Amino acid sequence: HKARLIDTEQYTIYGYDMLYGFLSGICAGNYDVTDILVDSTFKIAPEAIAGLESFTKKLQDLSETTSTNITLLISADSADIPESINAVCEQV
């Protein structure tokens, strides 16, 4: 009961800008949210690596402002991930 699955396809979320707005709305509307996990990030945002760096910078600011841990699951070769993102990511 403490976790909620939201299907982004149901809300027609497509791309980094829409995903950021959606996550911001979750944080703004629910002050008790402590963690957000985004699965299949590149499926939601097909810009993939191209827009990832600016998106994660915006998410870092959102995370700090709202005291929310935001985790993105990304399927990519670590060599393709920009160095600025590697500094804040955990690779599995």
Side-chain angles (χ1 to χ4, degrees):
H1 70 281
K2 291 185 178 188
R4 179 174 176 201
L5 174 64
I6 300 172
D7 182 2
T8 56
E9 289 180 3
Q10 179 181 357
Y11 295 95
T12 320
I13 306 301
Y14 186 78
Y16 285 124
D17 289 338
M18 290 182 76
L19 181 56
Y20 179 78
F22 189 70
L23 297 176
S24 296
I26 290 172
C27 292
N30 302 287
Y31 295 103
D32 60 343
V33 171
T34 58
D35 295 271
I36 297 175
L37 173 66
V38 179
D39 192 12
S40 301
T41 303
F42 290 165
K43 181 179 175 188
I44 299 167
E47 302 97 322
I49 299 293
L52 187 60
E53 190 168 16
S54 62
F55 178 63
T56 55
K57 286 179 184 177
K58 289 169 57 173
L59 285 185
Q60 282 180 305
D61 292 340
L62 178 63
S63 175
E64 291 170 9
T65 301
T66 61
S67 299
T68 304
N69 298 313
I70 302 172
T71 303
L72 303 176
L73 296 179
I74 298 171
S75 297
D77 189 300
S78 61
D80 294 334
I81 303 294
E83 190 59 38
S84 65
I85 295 172
N86 280 326
V88 295
C89 76
E90 179 180 324
Q91 297 178 16
V92 183

